[in-house]
Structures are given as structure tokens and as C-alpha cells.
């Protein structure tokens, strides 16, 4: 099923952007795992809309209602079900999109696949709004992984061509506390420049994209499987389910393709009676299996396709080119709010893989 993920756990995400509610079910979770709702809400607030000048003005509280699976602060072994009710909806802003699809969106492909029966309001089930229930599942998995000594954090590495600058994270022993929780970068001066570029794009009726780096520490060696069950495959499958993600690489990624083998190979060393690699070029994964080093990957996020500038589209009923002016409320840059979503996706993939060792 296209809206279901997982091998040992089963995550299903449901709802539409302007529907009554969005939600998720999470099955296969062992009983007796602690759940801190306050910690989960803090995590969800990082993704929630309407909280900063770089996000959509649509305001939603994004408070989850748990319907099953949690009793007295612990998982009970039953499937976990939760919903987030949508309150600030304006589906009328999207009435014209059935006939005139937005460039860069799924409006046209959804029309072809579902024959006009799809919910076009706000992108329906294709909307980034559906990353909120993904963050419910991911926020829970982050808590359970923390119990096992696994920590996950992500930060912005580039927006609109402006790169985060030193201090940088050490891929062999990263200090994740260096990340600024307000605007998730390592260098606040670079972060301010990024925010300026976002503001410029917004003033111009436009948008910008960027890169996000995610790091997970504390994962033991031996997690994952070869070929299709590899950690890269598991992470890629769920990360590519996040709207606007257009690229993904691990460790030094594409940079390694221009190196010689002698340069790309990462020597093994012994550190405190533990085998590790010297540079962590592979991003903590060899042959689809974790090698005990921090797991590192980078995600490319495209500019928000919904912009205020007039754009060229077509009338599907008349098969003629026409100008489209998009209504609605949209992020001038998705990247800052996507950071916790990337963390959530990584947590789900890693927890799913580690469930075989519980």
C-alpha cells in the first residue's frame, strides 16, 4: 500500500490537507514502551505551521488525540492510533486546480490517476500536511530509540545557496547539541542570512529550497540487511515519501564518485577496543548494514511550488495554455519545518530495523 511503511512495524498515514482530520496507525510496537506526551508535543511544535515568518500563515495546533495503543503512559501492545483535527481550513482556495494544475505539484498526475475524484484542496493526500502524523510516529520512535542510546538530530546545511558554516559536526563523533533549536543551523550568522533570503523570496512572491543533513548516533553495528533491506533502502523509502524531497545521499555521497578508490575507502582503526572507521565516508553504513559509526545522510528539498507569482499552466478541459495565479497559504521555504520531519522519518526507519533485535 502506498500509504503504509515498515517491515517489523506497520505505519499507515491517512487524511487530506483540508479534511476533518489527519492521522496515523502504528502497529507491531511492543508493549511496555514509555510514552511522554509532553516531549512528543514539543517535537510536533517544531513542524507545526504558522509559528514563524518563514512558514505558512495557516495556524493549526497539531495536538494529537490518541485513540488506542497507549494506557497509563505506556504502549499496551495494541495498534497505536492517533488523529490531529484540522481547524483552519479553506478548501475554496483550491477550486480552480482541478482544471488548471499547479506547476511542480501533483495536481495533474493525481487528476490522471484518480480521474477527478481526488481531493484537490491543498493537495489532498499529497500535501505536506500529512507529515504531521508522520511526526507523531517518528516522535514516538525517537523516544524509544533514546531508551536504547540512539539519538537523532538534523540541521539545515544550505538554503538558497547559503551554506551553514563552521563550527561543523564531526561525522566520527558529532556533538548534536551544537544545533540551534530555534532555526536549526550550526552557525547563527549563516542562519540569519538564510532567513534574509527566505524573506526576499517571500516579498517577491517566490520560494527557495535547500539541503538538510541528518545524523543518528548510538546505533550498534549489525543493524540492517543486504540488498533491498539495507539501511539506505529503508531510509530512502520513507524519506522519499515526504513531499518536496528530490534527492538523498549517504556520507560523502555523490562526492565519492569523483574520487579514486584509495581516496574513497575509509581505513579501519581500533579505538578503545572497538573497530571503527577513520573518516566515516560511508555515513555509518556498509553493505546496507550499520558499522557502528554515526549514520549520516543529506536530503535535497525543492523550493515550495506554490508561489504567488503568475505561472504558466494549462486548462485541462480546453487543452489550452493559460496563466495560473495560486491562492491559499504557503511556506516561502519548506526546509526549516522539514527538519523534524526528516528526523521522524529516520527514527521510524531505524526503529523498524532495530525491532528485529528487541
Amino acid at each position: 500500500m502506498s500509504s503504509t511503511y515498515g517491515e517489523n512495524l506497520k505505519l499507515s498515514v491517512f487524511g487530506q490537507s483540508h479534511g476533518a482530520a489527519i492521522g496515523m496507525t502504528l502497529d507491531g510496537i511492543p508493549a511496555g514502551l514509555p510514552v511522554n506526551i509532553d516531549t512528543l508535543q514539543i517535537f510536533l511544535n517544531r513542524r507545526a505551521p504558522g509559528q514563524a515568518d518563514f512558514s505558512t500563515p495557516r495556524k493549526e495546533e497539531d495536538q494529537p488525540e490518541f485513540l488506542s495503543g497507549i494506557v497509563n503512559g505506556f504502549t499496551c501492545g495494541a495498534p497505536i492510533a492517533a488523529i490531529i483535527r484540522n481547524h483552519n481550513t479553506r478548501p475554496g482556495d483550491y477550486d480552480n486546480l482541478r482544471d488548471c494544475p499547479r506547476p511542480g505539484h501533483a495536481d495533474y498526475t493525481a487528476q490522471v490517476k484518480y480521474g477527478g475524484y481526488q481531493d484537490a484542496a491543498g493537495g489532498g493526500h499529497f500535501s505536506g500536511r500529512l507529515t504531521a502524523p508522520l511526526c507523531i510516529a517518528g516522535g514516538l520512535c525517537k523516544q524509544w530509540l533514546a531508551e536504547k542510546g540512539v539519538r537523532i538530530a538534523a540541521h539545515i546545511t544550505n538554503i538558497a545557496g547559503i551554506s551553514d558554516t563552521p563550527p561543523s559536526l564531526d561525522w566520527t563523533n558529532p556533538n548534536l547539541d551544537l544545533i540551534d533549536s530555534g532555526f536549526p543551523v550550526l552557525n547563527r550568522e549563516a542562519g540569519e542570512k538564510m532567513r534574509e533570503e527566505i524573506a526576499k523570496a517571500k516579498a517577491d512572491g517566490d520560494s527557495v529550497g535547500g539541503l538538510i543533513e541528518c545524523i543518528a548516533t548510538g546505533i550498534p553495528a549489525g543493524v540492517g540487511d543486504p540488498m533491498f533491506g539495507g539501511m539506505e533502502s529503508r531510509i530512502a523509502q520513507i524519506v522519499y515519501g515526504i513531499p518536496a524531497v528530490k534527492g538523498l545521499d549517504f556520507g560523502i555521497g555523490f562526492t565519492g564518485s569523483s574520487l579514486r578508490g584509495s581516496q574513497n575507502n575509509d581505513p579501519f582503526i581500533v579505538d578503545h577496543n572497538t573497530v571503527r572507521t577513520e573518516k566515516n565516508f560511508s555515513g555509518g553504513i556498509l553493505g546496507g548494514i550499520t558499522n557502528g559509526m554515526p549514520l549520516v545522510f543529506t536530503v535535497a528539498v525543492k523550493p515550495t511550488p506554490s508561489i504567488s507569482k503568475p505561472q504558466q499552466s494549462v486548462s485541462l478541459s480546453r487543452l489550452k495554455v493559460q496563466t495560473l495565479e495560486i491562492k491559499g497559504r504557503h511556506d516561502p521555504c519548506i526546509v526549516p519545518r522539514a527538519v523534524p520531519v526528516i528526523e521522524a522519518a529516520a527514527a521510524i526507519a531505524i526503529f523498524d530495523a532495530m525491532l528485529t533485535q528487541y
Side-chain angles (χ1 to χ4, degrees), residues 21-323:
I22 51 179
M24 67 95 210
T25 60
L26 189 59
D27 200 358
I29 303 301
L33 299 182
V35 174
N36 188 316
I37 299 297
D38 292 335
T39 299
L40 176 63
Q41 189 62 60
I42 291 170
F43 180 69
L44 294 176
N45 290 345
R46 293 172 55 199
R47 193 224 67 94
Q51 300 191 85
D53 54 3
F54 50 77
S55 75
T56 170
R58 176 180 177 178
K59 291 185 179 295
E60 296 283 0
E61 293 184 355
D62 281 5
Q63 293 183 345
E65 299 177 29
F66 284 93
L67 309 179
S68 65
I70 299 174
V71 178
N72 296 325
F74 291 89
T75 59
C76 66
I80 301 170
I83 62 171
I84 294 175
R85 298 187 187 277
N86 289 327
H87 299 288
N88 193 2
T89 60
R90 286 174 16 189
D93 287 347
Y94 305 90
D95 288 342
N96 63 327
L97 300 184
R98 291 186 184 276
D99 187 61
C100 190
R102 295 168 294 180
H105 270 286
D107 299 334
Y108 172 68
T109 51
Q111 176 76 15
V112 172
K113 184 171 181 66
Y114 299 113
Y117 290 100
Q118 75 281 2
D119 183 356
H125 191 66
F126 296 88
S127 170
R129 181 83 184 118
L130 274 296
T131 60
L134 182 72
C135 281
I136 297 176
L140 293 174
C141 288
K142 281 191 69 174
Q143 292 185 28
W144 301 328
L145 286 170
E147 294 284 320
K148 297 294 183 181
V150 177
R151 187 178 177 193
I152 300 170
H155 67 109
I156 301 166
T157 60
N158 189 290
I159 283 181
I162 298 173
S163 296
D164 200 2
T165 55
S168 62
L169 291 178
D170 177 2
W171 281 2
T172 63
N173 186 29
N175 180 3
L176 301 181
D177 292 326
L178 290 173
I179 299 172
D180 186 343
S181 59
F183 188 84
V185 292
L186 296 166
N187 184 278
R188 294 190 178 187
E189 183 178 348
E192 285 302 315
K193 292 179 180 178
M194 292 177 189
R195 296 181 73 145
E196 289 173 5
E197 287 301 313
I198 295 172
K200 290 178 183 177
K202 181 179 180 180
D204 198 30
D206 218 326
S207 64
V208 291
L211 300 173
I212 297 169
E213 181 181 69
C214 185
I215 298 179
T217 61
I219 305 173
V223 178
D225 301 284
M227 297 189 69
F228 310 121
M231 288 307 301
E232 296 103 329
S233 301
R234 293 170 183 262
I235 291 171
Q237 181 186 2
I238 191 167
V239 168
Y240 275 121
I242 300 170
V245 169
K246 301 301 291 183
L248 177 64
D249 68 8
F250 292 83
I252 61 173
F254 288 104
T255 302
S257 65
S258 62
L259 302 178
R260 290 192 173 189
S262 58
Q263 297 171 305
N264 186 65
N265 287 346
D266 197 354
F268 286 105
I269 61 175
V270 176
D271 182 24
H272 294 89
N273 294 319
T274 301
V275 176
R276 56 182 288 267
T277 63
E278 191 174 75
K279 301 289 187 180
N280 198 20
F281 283 168
S282 67
I285 305 170
L286 291 168
I289 301 170
T290 58
N291 63 7
M293 299 293 288
L295 194 157
V296 183
F297 66 92
T298 301
V299 176
V301 180
K302 71 179 181 181
T304 316
S306 287
I307 58 177
S308 299
K309 285 180 175 291
Q311 300 178 80
Q312 179 179 303
S313 185
V314 296
S315 165
L316 297 178
S317 61
R318 297 183 293 111
L319 290 181
K320 291 188 178 295
V321 172
Q322 75 175 49
T323 299

